Amino acid sequence: LKIKAPPGGISRGGDEAQGIANRLGYPVIVRPSYVLGGRAMEVVNSDDQLEQYIRRAVELEPEQPILVDKFLGEAVEVDVDSLRDSQG
């Protein structure tokens, strides 16, 4: 579909998350990979804030990765759902 998306990465720990955030530049948006609807999503502005977020997330779900994406302050999120029947 070639839909543009903000740069980001997947982390399984604090050092990896900080590496991604430093590559992208702050602010970044972080969220657990297993949630929908923005639950547990947070915008972080520094290594210290990111470290606190990672510590809380790992306590809750140590086996789940964390998504780290560049935060786009003026972006608008649009979700599109589609449904079709057997006729097309």
Side-chain angles (χ1 to χ4, degrees):
L1 295 174
K2 297 185 181 182
I3 298 172
K4 291 182 181 180
I10 299 173
S11 167
R12 292 202 176 269
D15 291 339
E16 190 175 20
Q18 284 191 342
I20 295 167
N22 289 323
R23 177 175 50 84
L24 298 174
Y26 287 100
V28 295
I29 192 160
V30 290
R31 63 191 180 280
S33 61
Y34 59 90
V35 300
L36 298 173
R39 280 181 260 150
M41 184 182 296
E42 192 170 321
V43 176
V44 298
N45 295 293
S46 68
D47 285 344
D48 289 337
Q49 288 180 345
L50 180 59
E51 186 178 324
Q52 291 172 14
Y53 180 88
I54 297 294
R55 199 171 30 248
R56 289 189 315 266
V58 169
E59 284 176 10
L60 294 173
E61 289 291 339
E63 300 299 317
Q64 298 298 324
I66 294 167
L67 306 178
V68 181
D69 295 310
K70 180 68 181 165
F71 176 69
L72 304 176
E74 300 297 319
V76 175
E77 182 177 348
V78 177
D79 289 325
V80 178
D81 297 321
S82 72
L83 180 67
R84 71 178 211 133
D85 63 15
S86 63
Q87 303 301 312

